[in-house]
Amino acid sequence: MDQNLSYYRIFYTVAKYQNLSHAAKELYISQPAISKAITKLESNMEVSLFYRNSRGVTLTEEGTILYQHLQDAFASIDQAENAIHKIQTLGIGQLRIGASTTLCKYILLPYLKDFVARYPHIKITIECHSTFQTLALLEKGDIDIGLIGNPDKSKDIIFYPVKTIQDGFVATQTYLDNLLLRENCKMDEVFSKCNLMLLDEKNISRNYIDEYFKTNEIQPKQILEVSNMDLLIDFAKTGLGIACVIKEFVHSELLDQSLLEIIMPTPIEPREIGFAISKRFPISSSLNKFVDFCRKHDRI
């Protein structure tokens, strides 16, 4: 832009009112300063923008063209300022969250219910993927925050733990009775005989359990891979086998004994679930509000 923006604002105001004194009052500057700015603009552009007479000013052909373009330009500026003002007053924003379907259902939704009530004008989108995929989205900046299992060794992640979870093995009493009868085995042999249902190998929960099996020299013979925790729970309740689930998510089933926990000789260590933010990208105002909201409500 060859001219100072203030010159264009002065020209636009004079052209709008076709009167120097009116423009001076509108802009809170003196009339001589108005005249000087117009003269400077005309000199720089090497054209006459106004016809002067005793009743005021009128636009030349060149002035009319400039005014028409500036109308659109200043209208866009006004729209931008209004949009920013609306963002500030209403708290308009966007928050992109990543979480597995299971964590979304059992942990994330209670956060969102309270947060949306407090900030109804923040648009929230949710990407449902495994922890590994959620971490990949964070690294690329495709989401703002992820609800995941503690990644431990990730240097580019800020992790806020929110909940400790406990993995466990469950099945129906009927399935266990039939398995022991059919295979003529004892409880400490069930993993070599049963239909063991686990999350697929691309899931961090599966990796955690595989490491547990390796450490404790447990060698399952028949594994059925399932895509998400809800299906694991449903399959276990149907009597299809023994499922590795998060115990907190089958609390009611364990209470009413529609599912029974298989007590392991060596307990499985609890895990941490929490929110993760990438260090590589700036934190938006919407993300700041979400993190602060969770902290103030004793969730982080």
Side-chain angles (χ1 to χ4, degrees), residues 24-64:
K25 291 179 181 178
E26 177 75 15
L27 297 171
Y28 297 99
I29 57 179
S30 67
Q31 188 168 328
I34 293 279
S35 298
K36 184 177 180 180
I38 294 299
T39 300
K40 179 65 173 177
L41 182 61
E42 290 178 322
S43 175
N44 289 346
M45 298 186 72
E46 298 181 348
V47 295
S48 293
L49 299 172
F50 292 104
Y51 296 116
R52 280 88 169 168
N53 56 56
S54 59
R55 292 177 296 177
V57 295
T58 56
L59 289 166
T60 63
E61 181 180 354
E62 293 83 359
T64 299

Side-chain angles (χ1 to χ4, degrees), residues 153-165:
K153 300 178 182 179
S154 180
K155 297 179 180 179
D156 293 329
I157 294 297
I158 302 171
F159 184 76
Y160 301 97
V162 297
K163 188 177 181 66
T164 298
I165 59 172

Side-chain angles (χ1 to χ4, degrees), residues 27 84 92 149 154 175 184 234 283:
L27 297 171
I84 292 173
I92 293 173
S154 180
Y175 178 81
N184 192 28
D234 288 340
I283 296 177

Side-chain angles (χ1 to χ4, degrees), residues 5-242:
L5 183 60
S6 63
Y7 289 169
Y8 288 122
R9 173 64 77 177
I10 291 169
F11 164 81
Y12 174 76
T13 307
V14 173
K16 180 179 178 181
Y17 295 109
Q18 296 188 16
N19 185 282
L20 296 181
S21 61
H22 197 154
K25 291 179 181 178
E26 177 75 15
L27 297 171
Y28 297 99
I29 57 179
S30 67
Q31 188 168 328
I34 293 279
S35 298
K36 184 177 180 180
I38 294 299
T39 300
K40 179 65 173 177
L41 182 61
E42 290 178 322
S43 175
N44 289 346
M45 298 186 72
E46 298 181 348
V47 295
S48 293
L49 299 172
F50 292 104
Y51 296 116
R52 280 88 169 168
N53 56 56
S54 59
R55 292 177 296 177
V57 295
T58 56
L59 289 166
T60 63
E61 181 180 354
E62 293 83 359
T64 299
I65 293 172
L66 180 59
Y67 178 64
Q68 289 171 344
H69 284 281
L70 288 180
Q71 275 185 308
D72 293 335
F74 283 117
S76 295
I77 292 174
D78 288 341
Q79 289 174 0
E81 290 177 345
N82 290 335
I84 292 173
H85 177 69
K86 186 177 291 186
I87 288 173
Q88 292 174 327
T89 55
L90 295 180
I92 293 173
Q94 181 173 2
L95 183 63
R96 303 167 300 169
I97 304 174
S100 70
T101 303
T102 303
L103 295 183
C104 182
K105 175 181 178 180
Y106 291 99
I107 297 178
L108 180 60
L109 286 182
Y111 288 82
L112 293 182
K113 180 181 178 181
D114 295 339
F115 182 74
V116 169
R118 177 67 179 83
Y119 297 102
H121 300 294
I122 292 180
K123 178 183 178 183
I124 296 175
T125 58
I126 299 174
E127 295 273 353
C128 288
H129 298 287
S130 69
T131 288
F132 290 130
Q133 290 171 308
T134 298
L135 282 170
L137 292 174
L138 275 175
E139 290 173 1
K140 293 188 293 183
D142 290 340
I143 57 175
D144 302 304
I145 189 169
L147 180 60
I148 61 174
N150 192 342
D152 292 325
K153 300 178 182 179
S154 180
K155 297 179 180 179
D156 293 329
I157 294 297
I158 302 171
F159 184 76
Y160 301 97
V162 297
K163 188 177 181 66
T164 298
I165 59 172
Q166 178 69 59
D167 297 283
F169 297 97
V170 297
T172 63
Q173 182 68 66
T174 300
Y175 178 81
L176 291 175
D177 290 343
N178 289 334
L179 176 68
L180 296 176
L181 179 63
R182 181 174 63 251
E183 300 295 339
N184 192 28
C185 64
K186 299 178 182 179
M187 280 299 298
D188 59 1
E189 301 173 310
V190 295
F191 286 101
S192 63
K193 305 291 184 179
C194 74
N195 183 31
L196 182 60
M197 299 181 292
L198 304 173
L199 292 173
D200 60 62
E201 292 182 343
K202 295 182 179 180
N203 193 289
I204 196 170
S205 295
R206 170 65 181 277
N207 292 173
Y208 191 76
I209 293 304
D210 282 347
E211 188 62 31
Y212 171 82
F213 283 156
K214 181 179 178 181
T215 301
N216 292 276
E217 298 181 345
I218 298 173
Q219 297 180 331
K221 299 298 183 182
Q222 183 173 328
I223 293 177
L224 171 64
E225 291 189 342
V226 182
S227 60
N228 65 68
M229 185 67 63
D230 281 343
L231 282 177
L232 274 178
I233 295 170
D234 288 340
F235 286 174
K237 289 164 66 175
T238 304
L240 292 182
I242 296 175

